[in-house]
Amino acid sequence: MAISSVNQNAVETVRQILGEGIPLCQCMGVELVACDHRSIRLRAPYEKNRNHKGAAFGGSLEALSVVTGWALLELQLRARHFPGESVIYRAESRFLRPVTADLESYCVVAEAFSWDRYFEELDNRGRARLDLDVVIQQNGKNAMEFTGAYMAIERTGD
């Protein structure tokens, strides 16, 4: 998974948003590690996100997961200069085991998914939905599984 396979301006804009535009991400130390046309990996240091029990805080895991899906969609929207917003409107998380190392989230769109069809729907309806799965692993096993429904919504003159 290489960053060079996606629009570099979009990557730098999303990196800037994660580092400066979302205060929670800044506090958590979230960084974009790698991405391509269909996937993204974000990381946050364990020390900034641990709780009093010596594991990653569940809220940090949830926030990182939400932002991971959002960032994948946002990269595509920015690469296409989409005049609108991307938002999450539904989320479901399963916490399976403690995370005691750096938090690393991974999201990939389904193989059958087509960005061209997605943007065609967005052009026709002014909005389009995308369901994304994000995982965070500990020692090669899923520690958290997250499913988020995201919307891209065209900005109107209102």
Side-chain angles (χ1 to χ4, degrees):
M1 186 166 51
I3 291 178
S4 62
S5 66
V6 291
N7 179 298
Q8 285 301 304
N9 289 334
V11 170
E12 290 310 313
T13 299
V14 169
R15 270 201 172 118
Q16 182 179 11
I17 292 169
L18 293 173
E20 300 170 18
I22 303 173
L24 180 59
C25 289
Q26 187 176 18
C27 291
M28 290 174 57
V30 174
E31 64 177 332
L32 192 160
V33 175
C35 60
D36 61 25
H37 189 63
R38 303 188 70 75
S39 62
I40 192 165
R41 186 178 305 274
L42 300 183
R43 182 179 298 137
Y46 168 72
E47 282 303 318
K48 286 188 169 192
N49 294 284
R50 66 191 271 301
N51 64 22
H52 63 289
K53 295 181 180 184
F57 175 58
S60 292
L61 297 171
E62 180 88 24
L64 183 62
S65 296
V66 169
V67 169
T68 301
W70 170 87
L72 180 60
L73 177 55
E74 190 70 15
L75 281 169
Q76 293 301 318
L77 295 173
R78 292 197 177 261
R80 289 173 169 81
H81 307 288
F82 175 70
E85 305 296 331
S86 56
V87 297
I88 186 161
Y89 76 92
R90 189 181 69 233
E92 181 181 328
S93 299
R94 290 181 15 163
F95 299 88
L96 306 171
R97 59 184 37 88
V99 175
T100 56
D102 285 351
L103 291 59
E104 193 163 292
S105 58
Y106 179 71
C107 179
V108 61
V109 295
E111 196 166 309
F113 177 79
S114 166
W115 283 114
D116 290 337
R117 283 194 299 264
Y118 182 83
F119 279 95
E120 186 176 304
E121 179 182 347
L122 192 51
D123 287 341
N124 291 337
R125 297 184 59 218
R127 63 186 172 141
R129 187 180 111 179
L130 176 59
D131 294 332
L132 292 171
D133 295 321
V134 177
V135 296
I136 296 175
Q137 295 190 330
Q138 171 78 30
N139 297 324
K141 296 181 180 176
N142 287 1
M144 182 185 175
E145 298 171 345
F146 171 89
T147 299
Y150 296 83
M151 289 288 289
I153 305 165
E154 191 169 11
R155 195 177 300 126
T156 62
D158 302 350

